[in-house]
Amino acid sequence: MDDKPVDKEKILKELSEFHKLDYDYSDGRILGSMCTEAHPFAKEVYFKFLDTNLGDPGLFKGTKLIECEVIKSIGELLSIDNPYGHIVTGGTEANLMAIRAARNHARKYKGIIDGEIIVPESAHFSFKKAADMLNLKIVEAELDENYKTDVESVKKLISDKTVAIVAIAGTTELGLVDPIDEISKIALENNIYFHVDAAFGGFSIPFLRKIGFDLPVFDFSLPGVCSITVDPHKMGLAPIPAGGILFRKEEYLEVMAVDSPYLTVKTQSTIVGTRLGASSAATYAIMKYFGKEGYCNIIRNLMDNTIFFKEELEKLGYEVICEPELNIVAFNHPSIETNELAEKLGARGWKVSVAKCPVAIRIVLMNHIKLNHLKELLEDLKEIF
Ligand SMILES: Cc1ncc(COP(=O)(O)O)c(C=O)c1O
């Protein structure tokens, strides 16, 4: 730290030098991120609420009401009238809360001490962090030939130590939706907590279904589903950080509650103490601003781009891994090794990411990637071919 105060102009200049090293969403070169540039209106609102702290909701009663409204609105999208939950920092924290709720619930009501969670191979690595922090063992369910959770594998892995089953609505690597209705039945039959990670798909599948896309039900209308992660800062176009965790019953929050003596509330169930109210306010604003109609238009456009890109890739001779269900296309060159192809694209300024299961280039067609960017990318892919 400097000994003396530094002039604002100088600080801003220094910061902008750092900022210049960052990629900018508007260049259309960030091709592997599940985040995107937040809408300017959401950013404006975010700034207004920067000082609010939802960790102490008695001091910020209005902002707390906003959070409740946001959870209710997201709940409506996920077929539940009275959800319980919070706006948190992202999918990782949301998944951690869900698994913590499941573990504590199983400990309290079933006496399970050394628990296990059944998580598909395709799950986001946040579950590894959750298992590590919560002292749980991960048992990995296999994928079927379509890269979706194999239901038989889940059944086989259930034991008297299972505290939760996880399935994904919009996998990180391929954007696929698991057979959540079948897994919900299994979870119910075995009286096991079932969490759906819809961090990516939660803000698009409901709208895609509305405009006629043939996607399966993944939400609270399935009786086995106990909690859902859905991230406003991914497909919701809210500013980072904004994750969402919704629970079917209040008791899942209650089993995580600890006393919070010096605050305006007696207990706290969230992992984080001091918590941004700005994320809730910005999410509230952007959900109102777009409405269902706005989100339907955005996702329709993204799916048009996805299908265009996939078809053009095939025309060039690239091998597309699977039919896209959401706005992700994964592909390989018939002979160039995947990491080498990623390097070649990187050398041309494209920031692609490589999926692990199966190994493939993975392009997430977020809102900052426009048709002209895709055409430029296809030109480069044609030259590389
Ligand atoms: C399905 C899924 N779950 C969870 C996460 C973690 O979200 P975050 O990076 O916001 O913590 C991601 C991130 O991409 C994801 O795709």
Side-chain angles (χ1 to χ4, degrees):
M1 195 194 277
D2 297 271
D3 290 332
K4 298 270 183 209
V6 177
D7 180 63
K8 263 197 218 164
E9 288 306 313
K10 186 168 181 284
I11 301 170
L12 287 173
K13 198 161 172 282
E14 277 174 20
L15 288 172
S16 75
E17 287 304 312
F18 286 116
H19 206 8
K20 276 185 200 153
L21 300 176
D22 296 343
Y23 273 80
D24 195 313
Y25 285 117
S26 62
D27 296 340
R29 299 266 154 171
I30 301 178
L31 300 175
S33 174
M34 297 186 128
C35 292
T36 190
E37 186 168 14
H39 192 279
F41 178 51
K43 291 192 225 180
E44 191 186 317
V45 171
Y46 187 90
F47 188 71
K48 284 190 204 297
F49 282 80
L50 261 187
D51 293 326
T52 60
N53 171 17
L54 284 177
D56 207 353
L59 301 181
F60 299 96
K61 288 188 177 145
T63 308
K64 178 63 203 164
L65 284 175
I66 296 174
E67 185 187 43
C68 293
E69 286 292 317
V70 171
I71 293 298
K72 203 167 164 46
S73 295
I74 298 177
E76 189 205 325
L77 292 179
L78 303 178
S79 312
I80 186 166
D81 289 335
N82 205 6
Y84 299 87
H86 290 288
I87 294 299
V88 294
T89 54
T92 300
E93 191 186 341
N95 286 338
L96 178 56
M97 275 187 74
I99 299 304
R100 182 166 171 239
R103 183 202 63 170
N104 290 9
H105 201 266
R107 191 164 61 193
K108 181 167 178 187
Y109 294 104
K110 298 182 186 169
I112 300 178
I113 302 297
D114 47 350
E116 297 177 352
I117 51 173
I118 301 176
V119 171
E121 253 181 84
S122 54
H124 186 262
F125 56 82
S126 46
F127 291 101
K128 293 200 172 128
K129 295 183 187 175
D132 182 40
M133 284 187 253
L134 298 167
N135 209 13
L136 295 167
K137 184 178 163 203
I138 287 199
V139 285
E140 236 175 34
E142 287 167 16
L143 303 184
D144 64 17
E145 65 285 5
N146 300 315
Y147 307 107
K148 297 189 183 204
T149 303
D150 183 285
V151 178
E152 289 308 311
S153 167
V154 171
K155 271 191 201 162
K156 279 189 208 139
L157 292 173
I158 291 174
S159 77
D160 54 9
K161 291 185 176 175
T162 310
V163 300
I165 300 173
V166 173
I168 322 290
T171 55
T172 310
E173 297 200 322
L174 303 177
L176 299 175
V177 185
D178 278 332
I180 290 168
D181 54 344
E182 288 177 64
I183 302 173
S184 163
K185 278 187 205 133
I186 296 170
L188 258 193
E189 277 162 20
N190 291 277
N191 186 26
I192 294 171
Y193 187 103
F194 180 34
H195 174 63
V196 175
D197 182 1
F200 182 60
F203 255 98
S204 57
I205 301 168
F207 303 115
L208 284 169
R209 283 171 55 85
K210 211 171 165 52
I211 57 175
F213 279 70
D214 183 20
L215 284 164
V217 180
F218 72 102
D219 62 17
F220 289 107
S221 58
L222 303 169
V225 174
C226 301
S227 55
I228 303 183
T229 289
V230 42
D231 284 356
H233 75 196
K234 294 190 170 70
M235 292 300 293
L237 272 74
I240 298 168
I245 178 68
L246 274 74
F247 294 99
R248 182 186 289 279
K249 297 184 200 161
E250 197 172 13
E251 69 187 54
Y252 296 131
L253 281 175
E254 286 165 357
V255 291
M256 292 192 279
V258 297
D259 292 343
S260 49
Y262 67 92
L263 300 180
T264 50
V265 279
K266 289 198 172 60
T267 62
Q268 200 174 76
S269 299
T270 46
I271 289 159
V272 171
T274 301
R275 259 178 347 105
L276 264 174
S279 304
S280 287
T283 304
Y284 180 97
I286 201 64
M287 287 181 77
K288 285 253 171 197
Y289 182 78
F290 285 133
K292 290 183 188 129
E293 188 183 300
Y295 281 116
C296 284
N297 291 337
I298 291 167
I299 191 64
R300 182 185 285 117
N301 179 44
L302 295 181
M303 287 311 291
D304 285 349
N305 286 352
T306 303
I307 291 155
F308 164 80
F309 182 61
K310 179 234 161 202
E311 287 175 352
E312 293 301 309
L313 274 176
E314 283 175 336
K315 281 185 208 160
L316 291 178
Y318 285 89
E319 291 163 358
V320 173
I321 300 296
C322 57
E323 205 54 44
E325 290 188 342
L326 300 179
N327 44 323
I328 298 183
V329 180
F331 64 95
N332 275 316
H333 186 278
S335 56
I336 303 174
E337 200 265 324
T338 312
N339 283 306
E340 196 188 326
L341 179 57
E343 273 170 32
K344 283 181 192 288
L345 287 166
R348 290 169 183 247
W350 299 105
K351 290 302 290 174
V352 295
S353 75
V354 174
K356 175 177 109 266
C357 185
V359 176
I361 302 279
R362 137 192 190 278
I363 308 286
V364 190
L365 289 101
M366 298 298 286
N367 206 38
H368 59 272
I369 304 170
K370 307 295 177 201
L371 204 52
N372 61 312
H373 301 130
L374 290 177
K375 286 181 181 165
E376 282 173 40
L377 173 62
L378 285 161
E379 276 306 312
D380 278 344
L381 284 164
K382 188 173 169 185
E383 278 179 30
I384 290 170
F385 205 87

